[in-house]
Amino acid sequence: MASVPVYPWHLAPDGLATLRQLRARGLRPGGQDVAAQMERPRRRRGPLVAYLYEVDKAKPVRPMTPAKWAALAKANTARRTCPECRRDAGYVIPTSLGMCVTCAFPEERRAA
């Protein structure tokens, strides 16, 4: 396995970008391997690592199709629907509660 060059945080050469930087430019890695990585040391844990890709080998992001938009809308609707009362909560249901706030805390609803 070939090793990749490692650069200190914020000191990567021009022509390399992280996934977020590529996405901000409307690009994706397009199947290329990681070209390098940046590391930021941390005190009590291992270093924070960001993988870098070559910008000139990156490809444009694929456009969303109508089917993808429909699937995304359906997934977001499912995240907003309370499994207890089956209503659209108007917000994404917290996974910590597993239901809308009204169903999770019914005693506060009666007091108001």
Side-chain angles (χ1 to χ4, degrees), residues 9-11 15 20 27-28 31 37 42 46 49 52 55-56 59 65 68 75 80 82 84 97 104 112:
W9 205 251
H10 293 296
L11 295 177
R20 284 188 179 194
L27 300 171
R28 61 185 169 94
Q37 69 182 30
R42 297 191 286 185
V49 176
L52 301 169
V55 176
D56 56 346
K59 296 180 180 177
T65 63
K68 285 185 181 180
R80 294 166 54 110
C82 176
E84 295 292 317
L97 296 177

Side-chain angles (χ1 to χ4, degrees), residues 39-61:
E39 288 188 354
R40 186 180 89 185
R42 297 191 286 185
R43 291 181 186 227
R44 293 187 174 91
R45 295 184 286 184
L48 190 62
V49 176
Y51 297 112
L52 301 169
Y53 300 91
E54 296 180 42
V55 176
D56 56 346
K57 291 183 181 178
K59 296 180 180 177
V61 174

Side-chain angles (χ1 to χ4, degrees), residues 26-112:
L27 300 171
R28 61 185 169 94
Q32 66 174 299
D33 291 330
V34 173
Q37 69 182 30
M38 287 189 302
E39 288 188 354
R40 186 180 89 185
R42 297 191 286 185
R43 291 181 186 227
R44 293 187 174 91
R45 295 184 286 184
L48 190 62
V49 176
Y51 297 112
L52 301 169
Y53 300 91
E54 296 180 42
V55 176
D56 56 346
K57 291 183 181 178
K59 296 180 180 177
V61 174
R62 295 182 189 120
M64 289 282 283
T65 63
K68 285 185 181 180
W69 281 113
L72 185 62
K74 186 176 178 181
N76 283 329
T77 301
R79 292 178 66 198
R80 294 166 54 110
T81 304
C82 176
E84 295 292 317
C85 63
R86 292 293 194 204
R87 291 187 307 190
D88 185 344
Y91 53 87
V92 174
I93 306 272
T95 56
S96 59
L97 296 177
M99 60 186 76
C100 67
V101 176
T102 308
C103 292
F105 304 106
E107 64 278 352
E108 291 180 13
R109 182 176 57 187
R110 284 188 225 123

Side-chain angles (χ1 to χ4, degrees), residues 1-6 34-37:
M1 182 171 142
S3 63
V4 295
V6 178
V34 173
Q37 69 182 30

